[in-house]
Coordinates of all heavy atoms in Angstrom, one line a residue:
I1 N 9.6 0.3 4.0 CA 8.9 0.3 2.7 C 8.5 1.8 2.4 O 8.0 2.5 3.2 CB 7.6 -0.5 2.8 CG1 8.0 -2.0 2.9 CG2 6.7 -0.3 1.6 CD1 6.8 -2.9 3.1
H2 N 8.8 2.1 1.2 CA 8.4 3.4 0.7 C 7.1 3.3 -0.1 O 7.0 2.7 -1.1 CB 9.5 4.0 -0.2 CG 9.2 5.4 -0.6 ND1 9.0 5.8 -1.9 CD2 9.2 6.6 0.1 CE1 8.8 7.1 -2.0 NE2 8.9 7.6 -0.8
G3 N 6.0 3.8 0.5 CA 4.6 3.6 0.0 C 4.5 3.8 -1.5 O 3.9 3.0 -2.2
P4 N 4.8 5.0 -2.0 CA 4.7 5.3 -3.4 C 5.4 4.3 -4.3 O 4.8 3.8 -5.3 CB 5.2 6.7 -3.6 CG 5.1 7.3 -2.2 CD 5.3 6.2 -1.3
D5 N 6.6 3.8 -3.9 CA 7.3 2.9 -4.7 C 6.6 1.5 -4.7 O 6.6 0.9 -5.8 CB 8.8 2.7 -4.2 CG 9.6 3.9 -4.5 OD1 9.2 4.8 -5.3 OD2 10.7 4.0 -3.8
A6 N 6.1 1.1 -3.6 CA 5.4 -0.2 -3.5 C 4.1 -0.2 -4.4 O 3.9 -1.1 -5.1 CB 5.0 -0.5 -2.1
L7 N 3.4 0.9 -4.3 CA 2.1 1.0 -5.1 C 2.5 1.1 -6.6 O 1.8 0.5 -7.4 CB 1.3 2.2 -4.6 CG 0.7 2.1 -3.2 CD1 0.1 3.4 -2.8 CD2 -0.2 0.9 -3.1
R8 N 3.5 1.9 -6.9 CA 3.9 2.0 -8.3 C 4.4 0.7 -8.9 O 4.0 0.3 -10.0 CB 5.1 3.0 -8.4 CG 5.5 3.4 -9.8 CD 6.5 4.5 -9.8 NE 6.0 5.7 -9.4 CZ 6.3 6.3 -8.2 NH1 7.2 5.7 -7.4 NH2 5.8 7.4 -7.8
A9 N 5.1 -0.1 -8.1 CA 5.5 -1.5 -8.5 C 4.3 -2.4 -8.8 O 4.3 -3.1 -9.8 CB 6.5 -2.1 -7.5
L10 N 3.3 -2.3 -7.9 CA 2.1 -3.1 -8.2 C 1.4 -2.7 -9.5 O 1.0 -3.5 -10.3 CB 1.1 -2.9 -7.0 CG 1.5 -3.7 -5.7 CD1 0.6 -3.2 -4.6 CD2 1.4 -5.2 -5.9
A11 N 1.3 -1.4 -9.6 CA 0.6 -0.9 -10.8 C 1.4 -1.3 -12.1 O 0.8 -1.7 -13.1 CB 0.5 0.6 -10.8
E12 N 2.7 -1.1 -12.1 CA 3.5 -1.4 -13.3 C 3.4 -2.9 -13.6 O 3.4 -3.3 -14.7 CB 4.9 -1.0 -13.0 CG 5.1 0.5 -13.1 CD 6.5 1.0 -12.7 OE1 7.4 0.1 -12.3 OE2 6.7 2.2 -12.7
G13 N 3.4 -3.7 -12.5 CA 3.2 -5.2 -12.7 C 1.9 -5.5 -13.4 O 1.9 -6.4 -14.3
F14 N 0.9 -4.8 -13.1 CA -0.4 -5.1 -13.7 C -0.5 -4.6 -15.1 O -1.3 -5.0 -15.9 CB -1.6 -4.5 -12.9 CG -2.1 -5.5 -11.8 CD1 -1.5 -5.6 -10.6 CD2 -3.1 -6.4 -12.2 CE1 -1.9 -6.5 -9.7 CE2 -3.5 -7.3 -11.2 CZ -2.9 -7.4 -10.0
L15 N 0.3 -3.6 -15.4 CA 0.3 -3.0 -16.8 C 1.1 -3.8 -17.8 O 1.0 -3.6 -19.0 CB 0.8 -1.6 -16.8 CG -0.1 -0.6 -16.0 CD1 0.6 0.8 -15.9 CD2 -1.4 -0.4 -16.7
R16 N 1.9 -4.7 -17.3 CA 2.7 -5.5 -18.2 C 1.8 -6.5 -19.0 O 0.9 -7.0 -18.4 CB 3.8 -6.3 -17.4 CG 4.9 -5.5 -16.9 CD 6.0 -6.4 -16.4 NE 7.0 -5.5 -15.8 CZ 7.3 -5.5 -14.5 NH1 6.8 -6.4 -13.7 NH2 8.3 -4.7 -14.0
P17 N 2.2 -6.8 -20.2 CA 1.4 -7.8 -20.9 C 1.5 -9.2 -20.2 O 2.5 -9.5 -19.6 CB 2.2 -7.9 -22.3 CG 3.0 -6.7 -22.4 CD 3.3 -6.2 -21.0
A18 N 0.4 -9.9 -20.3 CA 0.4 -11.3 -19.7 C 1.5 -12.2 -20.3 O 1.8 -12.1 -21.5 CB -1.0 -11.9 -19.9
D19 N 2.1 -13.0 -19.4 CA 3.1 -13.9 -19.8 C 2.4 -15.3 -19.9 O 1.9 -15.8 -18.8 CB 4.2 -13.9 -18.8 CG 5.3 -14.9 -19.2 OD1 5.2 -15.8 -20.0 OD2 6.4 -14.7 -18.6
N20 N 2.3 -15.9 -21.0 CA 1.6 -17.2 -21.2 C 2.3 -18.3 -20.3 O 1.6 -19.3 -20.0 CB 1.6 -17.7 -22.6 CG 0.7 -16.7 -23.4 OD1 -0.2 -16.1 -22.9 ND2 1.0 -16.7 -24.7
A21 N 3.5 -18.1 -19.9 CA 4.2 -19.1 -19.1 C 3.8 -19.0 -17.6 O 4.2 -19.8 -16.8 CB 5.7 -19.0 -19.2
M22 N 3.1 -17.9 -17.3 CA 2.7 -17.6 -15.9 C 1.2 -17.8 -15.7 O 0.5 -17.7 -16.7 CB 3.1 -16.2 -15.5 CG 4.6 -15.9 -15.6 SD 5.6 -16.9 -14.4 CE 5.1 -16.1 -12.9
P23 N 0.8 -18.0 -14.5 CA -0.7 -18.0 -14.2 C -1.3 -16.7 -14.6 O -0.6 -15.7 -14.6 CB -0.8 -18.3 -12.7 CG 0.6 -18.7 -12.3 CD 1.6 -18.2 -13.3
A24 N -2.6 -16.7 -14.8 CA -3.3 -15.4 -15.1 C -3.2 -14.5 -13.9 O -3.1 -14.9 -12.8 CB -4.8 -15.7 -15.4
P25 N -3.2 -13.2 -14.2 CA -3.1 -12.2 -13.1 C -4.3 -12.3 -12.2 O -5.4 -12.7 -12.6 CB -3.1 -10.8 -13.9 CG -2.8 -11.1 -15.3 CD -3.2 -12.5 -15.5
C26 N -4.1 -12.0 -11.0 CA -5.2 -12.0 -10.0 C -6.1 -10.8 -10.2 O -5.7 -9.8 -10.8 CB -4.7 -12.1 -8.6 SG -3.6 -10.7 -8.1
D27 N -7.4 -11.0 -9.8 CA -8.4 -9.9 -10.0 C -8.3 -8.9 -8.8 O -8.8 -7.8 -9.0 CB -9.8 -10.5 -10.1 CG -10.0 -11.3 -11.3 OD1 -9.3 -11.0 -12.3 OD2 -10.8 -12.3 -11.3
T28 N -7.9 -9.4 -7.7 CA -7.9 -8.5 -6.5 C -6.6 -8.6 -5.7 O -6.1 -9.7 -5.6 CB -9.1 -9.0 -5.5 OG1 -10.3 -9.0 -6.3 CG2 -9.2 -8.2 -4.3
I29 N -6.2 -7.5 -5.2 CA -5.0 -7.4 -4.3 C -5.5 -6.8 -3.0 O -6.2 -5.8 -3.0 CB -3.9 -6.5 -4.9 CG1 -3.3 -7.1 -6.2 CG2 -2.8 -6.3 -3.8 CD1 -2.3 -6.2 -6.8
T30 N -5.2 -7.4 -1.9 CA -5.6 -6.9 -0.6 C -4.3 -6.6 0.1 O -3.5 -7.5 0.4 CB -6.5 -7.9 0.2 OG1 -7.6 -8.2 -0.6 CG2 -6.9 -7.3 1.5
L31 N -4.1 -5.4 0.5 CA -3.0 -5.0 1.2 C -3.4 -5.0 2.7 O -4.4 -4.5 3.1 CB -2.5 -3.6 0.9 CG -2.1 -3.4 -0.6 CD1 -1.7 -1.9 -0.8 CD2 -0.9 -4.3 -0.9
T32 N -2.5 -5.7 3.5 CA -2.8 -5.7 4.9 C -1.5 -5.3 5.7 O -0.4 -5.5 5.1 CB -3.2 -7.1 5.4 OG1 -2.2 -8.1 5.1 CG2 -4.5 -7.5 4.7
L33 N -1.7 -4.9 6.9 CA -0.5 -4.6 7.7 C -0.1 -5.8 8.4 O -0.9 -6.6 9.0 CB -0.9 -3.5 8.7 CG -1.2 -2.1 8.2 CD1 -1.6 -1.2 9.3 CD2 0.0 -1.6 7.4
E34 N 1.2 -6.1 8.4 CA 1.7 -7.2 9.2 C 2.6 -6.6 10.3 O 3.6 -5.9 10.0 CB 2.6 -8.1 8.3 CG 3.1 -9.3 9.0 CD 3.8 -10.3 8.1 OE1 4.0 -10.0 6.9 OE2 4.2 -11.3 8.6
I35 N 2.1 -6.8 11.5 CA 2.7 -6.1 12.6 C 3.8 -7.0 13.2 O 3.5 -8.2 13.6 CB 1.7 -5.8 13.7 CG1 0.5 -4.9 13.1 CG2 2.3 -5.1 14.9 CD1 1.0 -3.6 12.5
F36 N 5.0 -6.5 13.4 CA 6.1 -7.2 14.0 C 6.4 -6.5 15.3 O 6.5 -5.3 15.4 CB 7.4 -7.2 13.1 CG 7.2 -7.9 11.8 CD1 6.9 -7.3 10.7 CD2 7.4 -9.3 11.8 CE1 6.8 -8.0 9.5 CE2 7.3 -10.0 10.6 CZ 7.0 -9.3 9.5
S37 N 6.4 -7.3 16.4 CA 6.7 -6.8 17.7 C 7.6 -7.7 18.4 O 7.6 -8.9 18.2 CB 5.5 -6.5 18.5 OG 4.8 -7.7 18.7
G38 N 8.4 -7.2 19.3 CA 9.3 -8.0 20.1 C 8.5 -8.5 21.3 O 7.5 -8.0 21.7
T39 N 9.0 -9.6 21.8 CA 8.3 -10.2 23.0 C 8.4 -9.4 24.2 O 7.5 -9.5 25.1 CB 8.9 -11.6 23.3 OG1 10.3 -11.5 23.5 CG2 8.6 -12.6 22.1
S40 N 9.3 -8.4 24.2 CA 9.4 -7.6 25.4 C 8.7 -6.2 25.3 O 8.8 -5.4 26.2 CB 10.9 -7.4 25.8 OG 11.5 -6.7 24.7
E41 N 8.1 -6.0 24.1 CA 7.4 -4.7 23.9 C 6.1 -4.7 24.7 O 5.4 -5.6 24.8 CB 7.1 -4.5 22.4 CG 8.3 -4.2 21.6 CD 8.0 -3.8 20.2 OE1 7.9 -4.7 19.4 OE2 7.8 -2.6 20.0
Y42 N 5.8 -3.5 25.2 CA 4.6 -3.2 25.9 C 3.4 -3.1 24.9 O 3.6 -2.6 23.8 CB 4.7 -2.0 26.8 CG 5.6 -2.1 27.9 CD1 6.9 -1.5 27.9 CD2 5.3 -2.8 29.1 CE1 7.8 -1.6 29.0 CE2 6.2 -2.9 30.1 CZ 7.4 -2.3 30.1 OH 8.2 -2.4 31.1
P43 N 2.2 -3.5 25.3 CA 1.1 -3.4 24.4 C 0.9 -2.0 23.9 O 0.5 -1.8 22.8 CB -0.1 -3.9 25.3 CG 0.5 -4.8 26.3 CD 1.9 -4.2 26.6
E44 N 1.1 -1.0 24.7 CA 1.0 0.4 24.3 C 1.9 0.7 23.2 O 1.6 1.5 22.3 CB 1.2 1.4 25.5 CG 0.2 1.2 26.6 CD 0.5 0.1 27.6 OE1 1.6 -0.5 27.5 OE2 -0.4 -0.2 28.4
T45 N 3.1 0.2 23.2 CA 4.1 0.4 22.2 C 3.7 -0.2 20.9 O 3.8 0.4 19.8 CB 5.5 -0.1 22.6 OG1 5.9 0.5 23.8 CG2 6.6 0.2 21.5
I46 N 3.2 -1.4 21.0 CA 2.7 -2.1 19.8 C 1.5 -1.4 19.2 O 1.5 -1.2 18.0 CB 2.3 -3.6 20.2 CG1 3.5 -4.4 20.6 CG2 1.6 -4.3 19.0 CD1 3.2 -5.7 21.3
L47 N 0.6 -0.9 20.0 CA -0.6 -0.2 19.5 C -0.1 1.1 18.8 O -0.7 1.5 17.8 CB -1.6 0.1 20.6 CG -2.3 -1.1 21.1 CD1 -3.2 -0.8 22.3 CD2 -3.2 -1.7 20.0
R48 N 0.9 1.8 19.4 CA 1.4 3.0 18.8 C 2.0 2.8 17.4 O 1.7 3.5 16.5 CB 2.4 3.7 19.7 CG 2.9 5.1 19.2 CD 4.0 5.7 20.0 NE 5.0 4.7 20.4 CZ 6.0 4.3 19.7 NH1 6.1 4.7 18.4 NH2 6.9 3.4 20.1
K49 N 2.7 1.7 17.3 CA 3.3 1.4 16.1 C 2.3 1.0 15.0 O 2.4 1.4 13.8 CB 4.3 0.2 16.2 CG 5.6 0.5 16.9 CD 6.5 -0.7 17.0 CE 7.8 -0.5 17.7 NZ 8.6 -1.7 17.7
M50 N 1.2 0.3 15.4 CA 0.1 0.0 14.5 C -0.5 1.3 14.0 O -0.8 1.5 12.9 CB -0.9 -0.9 15.2 CG -0.4 -2.3 15.5 SD -1.5 -3.3 16.5 CE -3.0 -3.3 15.5
H51 N -0.8 2.2 15.0 CA -1.4 3.5 14.6 C -0.5 4.3 13.7 O -1.0 4.8 12.7 CB -1.6 4.3 15.9 CG -2.2 5.6 15.6 ND1 -1.5 6.8 15.4 CD2 -3.5 6.0 15.6 CE1 -2.2 7.8 15.2 NE2 -3.5 7.4 15.3
D52 N 0.8 4.3 13.9 CA 1.7 5.0 13.0 C 1.7 4.4 11.6 O 1.8 5.1 10.6 CB 3.1 5.0 13.6 CG 3.3 5.8 14.9 OD1 2.4 6.6 15.2 OD2 4.3 5.6 15.6
S53 N 1.7 3.0 11.5 CA 1.6 2.4 10.2 C 0.4 2.7 9.5 O 0.4 3.0 8.3 CB 1.7 0.9 10.4 OG 3.0 0.5 10.9
V54 N -0.7 2.7 10.1 CA -2.0 3.1 9.5 C -1.9 4.5 9.0 O -2.3 4.8 7.8 CB -3.2 2.8 10.4 CG1 -4.5 3.5 9.8 CG2 -3.4 1.4 10.7
A55 N -1.5 5.4 9.8 CA -1.4 6.8 9.4 C -0.4 7.0 8.2 O -0.7 7.8 7.3 CB -0.9 7.7 10.6
Y56 N 0.7 6.3 8.2 CA 1.6 6.3 7.1 C 0.9 5.9 5.8 O 0.9 6.6 4.8 CB 2.8 5.5 7.3 CG 3.7 5.4 6.1 CD1 4.6 6.4 5.8 CD2 3.7 4.2 5.3 CE1 5.4 6.3 4.7 CE2 4.5 4.2 4.2 CZ 5.4 5.2 3.9 OH 6.2 5.1 2.8
W57 N 0.2 4.8 5.8 CA -0.4 4.2 4.6 C -1.6 5.1 4.1 O -1.9 5.1 2.9 CB -0.7 2.8 4.7 CG 0.5 2.0 4.5 CD1 1.3 1.4 5.5 CD2 1.2 1.7 3.3 NE1 2.4 0.7 4.9 CE2 2.3 0.9 3.6 CE3 0.9 2.0 2.0 CZ2 3.2 0.5 2.6 CZ3 1.8 1.6 1.0 CH2 2.9 0.8 1.3
R58 N -2.3 5.7 5.1 CA -3.4 6.6 4.7 C -3.0 7.7 3.8 O -3.8 8.3 3.1 CB -4.1 7.1 5.9 CG -5.1 6.1 6.5 CD -6.3 5.9 5.6 NE -7.2 4.9 6.1 CZ -7.7 3.9 5.5 NH1 -7.5 3.8 4.2 NH2 -8.5 3.1 6.0
K59 N -1.7 8.1 3.9 CA -1.3 9.2 3.0 C -1.3 8.8 1.6 O -1.5 9.6 0.7 CB 0.2 9.6 3.4 CG 0.3 10.2 4.8 CD 1.7 10.7 5.0 CE 2.7 9.6 5.1 NZ 4.1 10.0 5.5
F60 N -1.3 7.5 1.3 CA -1.2 7.0 -0.1 C -2.5 6.3 -0.5 O -2.8 6.2 -1.7 CB 0.0 6.1 -0.2 CG 1.3 6.7 0.3 CD1 1.9 6.2 1.4 CD2 1.8 7.8 -0.3 CE1 3.0 6.7 2.0 CE2 3.0 8.4 0.3 CZ 3.6 7.8 1.4
I61 N -3.2 5.7 0.5 CA -4.4 5.0 0.2 C -5.5 5.7 1.1 O -5.6 5.3 2.3 CB -4.3 3.5 0.6 CG1 -3.1 2.9 -0.2 CG2 -5.6 2.8 0.3 CD1 -2.8 1.5 0.1
P62 N -6.2 6.7 0.6 CA -7.0 7.5 1.4 C -8.3 6.8 2.0 O -8.8 7.3 2.9 CB -7.4 8.7 0.5 CG -7.2 8.2 -0.9 CD -6.1 7.1 -0.8
E63 N -8.7 5.7 1.4 CA -9.8 5.0 2.0 C -9.8 3.5 1.6 O -9.1 3.1 0.7 CB -11.1 5.6 1.4 CG -11.3 5.4 -0.1 CD -12.5 6.1 -0.6 OE1 -12.6 7.4 -0.5 OE2 -13.4 5.4 -1.2
D64 N -10.4 2.7 2.5 CA -10.4 1.3 2.3 C -11.2 0.9 1.0 O -12.2 1.6 0.7 CB -11.1 0.5 3.4 CG -10.3 0.7 4.7 OD1 -9.1 1.1 4.6 OD2 -10.8 0.3 5.8
G65 N -10.8 -0.1 0.3 CA -11.5 -0.6 -0.9 C -11.2 0.1 -2.2 O -11.8 -0.2 -3.2
I66 N -10.4 1.1 -2.2 CA -10.1 1.8 -3.4 C -9.2 0.9 -4.3 O -8.4 0.2 -3.9 CB -9.4 3.2 -3.1 CG1 -9.4 4.1 -4.3 CG2 -8.0 3.0 -2.6 CD1 -9.1 5.5 -4.0
R67 N -9.6 1.0 -5.6 CA -8.9 0.2 -6.6 C -7.6 0.8 -7.0 O -7.4 2.0 -6.9 CB -9.8 0.0 -7.8 CG -11.1 -0.8 -7.5 CD -12.0 -0.8 -8.8 NE -11.3 -1.1 -10.0 CZ -11.2 -2.3 -10.5 NH1 -11.8 -3.3 -10.0 NH2 -10.5 -2.5 -11.6
L68 N -6.6 -0.1 -7.4 CA -5.3 0.4 -7.7 C -5.4 1.4 -8.9 O -4.7 2.4 -8.9 CB -4.4 -0.8 -8.1 CG -2.9 -0.5 -8.4 CD1 -2.3 0.2 -7.2 CD2 -2.2 -1.8 -8.7
D69 N -6.3 1.1 -9.9 CA -6.4 2.0 -11.0 C -6.9 3.3 -10.6 O -6.6 4.4 -11.1 CB -7.2 1.4 -12.2 CG -8.6 1.0 -11.8 OD1 -8.9 0.9 -10.6 OD2 -9.4 0.8 -12.7
E70 N -7.8 3.4 -9.6 CA -8.3 4.6 -9.1 C -7.2 5.4 -8.3 O -7.0 6.6 -8.5 CB -9.4 4.4 -8.1 CG -10.0 5.6 -7.5 CD -10.8 6.5 -8.5 OE1 -11.0 6.1 -9.6 OE2 -11.1 7.6 -8.1
L71 N -6.3 4.7 -7.6 CA -5.2 5.4 -7.0 C -4.3 6.0 -8.0 O -3.8 7.1 -7.9 CB -4.3 4.4 -6.1 CG -4.9 4.0 -4.8 CD1 -4.0 2.9 -4.1 CD2 -5.0 5.2 -3.9
C72 N -4.1 5.3 -9.1 CA -3.3 5.8 -10.2 C -3.9 7.1 -10.8 O -3.3 8.1 -11.0 CB -3.1 4.8 -11.4 SG -2.2 3.4 -10.9
R73 N -5.2 7.0 -11.0 CA -6.0 8.1 -11.6 C -5.9 9.4 -10.7 O -5.7 10.5 -11.2 CB -7.4 7.8 -11.8 CG -8.2 8.8 -12.7 CD -9.6 8.4 -12.8 NE -10.4 8.5 -11.6 CZ -10.7 9.6 -11.0 NH1 -10.4 10.8 -11.4 NH2 -11.4 9.6 -9.8
I74 N -6.0 9.2 -9.4 CA -6.1 10.4 -8.5 C -4.7 10.8 -8.0 O -4.5 11.7 -7.3 CB -7.0 10.1 -7.3 CG1 -6.4 9.0 -6.4 CG2 -8.4 9.9 -7.7 CD1 -7.2 8.9 -5.1
G75 N -3.7 10.0 -8.5 CA -2.3 10.4 -8.1 C -1.8 9.9 -6.8 O -1.1 10.6 -6.1
M76 N -2.2 8.6 -6.5 CA -1.7 8.0 -5.3 C -2.1 8.7 -4.0 O -1.3 8.9 -3.1 CB -0.3 7.7 -5.3 CG 0.1 6.6 -6.3 SD 1.9 6.4 -6.4 CE 2.4 6.4 -4.8
G77 N -3.3 9.1 -3.9 CA -3.8 9.6 -2.6 C -3.5 11.1 -2.4 O -3.3 11.8 -3.4
R78 N -3.4 11.4 -1.2 CA -3.4 12.9 -0.8 C -2.0 13.5 -1.2 O -2.0 14.7 -1.2 CB -3.7 13.0 0.7 CG -5.1 12.6 1.0 CD -5.4 12.7 2.4 NE -6.8 12.3 2.6 CZ -7.2 11.5 3.6 NH1 -6.3 11.1 4.5 NH2 -8.4 11.1 3.7
N79 N -1.0 12.7 -1.4 CA 0.3 13.4 -1.7 C 0.4 13.7 -3.1 O 1.4 14.3 -3.5 CB 1.5 12.5 -1.2 CG 1.7 12.6 0.3 OD1 1.2 13.5 0.9 ND2 2.6 11.7 0.8
H80 N -0.5 13.3 -4.0 CA -0.5 13.6 -5.4 C 0.8 13.3 -6.1 O 1.4 14.1 -6.8 CB -0.9 15.0 -5.6 CG -2.2 15.3 -5.0 ND1 -3.4 14.8 -5.5 CD2 -2.5 16.1 -3.9 CE1 -4.4 15.3 -4.7 NE2 -3.9 16.0 -3.8
L81 N 1.3 12.1 -5.8 CA 2.6 11.6 -6.4 C 2.2 10.7 -7.6 O 1.8 9.6 -7.4 CB 3.4 10.9 -5.4 CG 3.9 11.6 -4.2 CD1 4.6 10.7 -3.2 CD2 4.8 12.7 -4.6
P82 N 2.2 11.2 -8.8 CA 1.7 10.4 -9.9 C 2.6 9.2 -10.2 O 3.8 9.2 -10.0 CB 1.7 11.4 -11.1 CG 2.8 12.4 -10.7 CD 2.7 12.5 -9.2
F83 N 1.9 8.1 -10.7 CA 2.6 6.9 -11.1 C 3.4 7.3 -12.4 O 2.9 8.1 -13.2 CB 1.7 5.8 -11.5 CG 1.2 5.1 -10.2 CD1 -0.2 5.3 -9.8 CD2 2.0 4.3 -9.5 CE1 -0.6 4.7 -8.7 CE2 1.5 3.6 -8.4 CZ 0.2 3.8 -8.0
A84 N 4.5 6.6 -12.6 CA 5.3 6.8 -13.9 C 4.5 6.2 -15.0 O 3.8 5.2 -14.9 CB 6.6 6.1 -13.7
E85 N 4.5 6.9 -16.1 CA 3.8 6.5 -17.3 C 4.6 5.4 -18.0 O 5.8 5.5 -18.1 CB 3.5 7.6 -18.3 CG 2.6 8.6 -17.6 CD 1.2 8.2 -17.5 OE1 0.8 7.1 -17.9 OE2 0.4 9.0 -17.0

């Protein structure tokens, strides 16, 4: 997953006009990490992968609880990659 593209797609989806044939947009999106590991992986390997995933996403989401519109305003976190207008 390319973090900026995923966040940009979420933002663009929320900017689209509501479609009356679809349910109302949700008020909250919670992004969580889903960890995939093999049954033969050592716990240390799994923990390292988890740490690497958190470090990756922190480049784009600098703190927990930040709103998507705020990420857009600040340019998607520390990398300052602006969302497309």
Side-chain angles (χ1 to χ4, degrees):
I1 292 177
H2 187 248
D5 290 344
L7 294 173
R8 187 174 294 111
L10 285 171
E12 289 173 356
F14 270 88
L15 292 174
R16 286 191 186 117
D19 181 346
N20 292 335
M22 299 295 289
C26 57
D27 294 330
T28 303
I29 296 174
T30 302
L31 299 177
T32 60
L33 295 177
E34 185 173 4
I35 305 301
F36 294 95
S37 61
T39 57
S40 63
E41 287 187 272
Y42 291 106
E44 295 82 10
T45 303
I46 297 168
L47 288 173
R48 181 185 46 78
K49 287 180 177 181
M50 290 170 62
H51 179 270
D52 292 349
S53 291
V54 169
Y56 173 78
W57 281 103
R58 277 293 179 224
K59 293 186 292 185
F60 312 111
I61 304 172
E63 62 186 62
D64 293 347
I66 193 164
R67 294 175 48 96
L68 186 57
D69 60 344
E70 180 68 8
L71 283 176
C72 292
R73 189 183 68 72
I74 65 173
M76 288 178 41
R78 296 183 180 134
N79 280 350
H80 305 290
L81 300 171
F83 284 107
E85 298 287 359

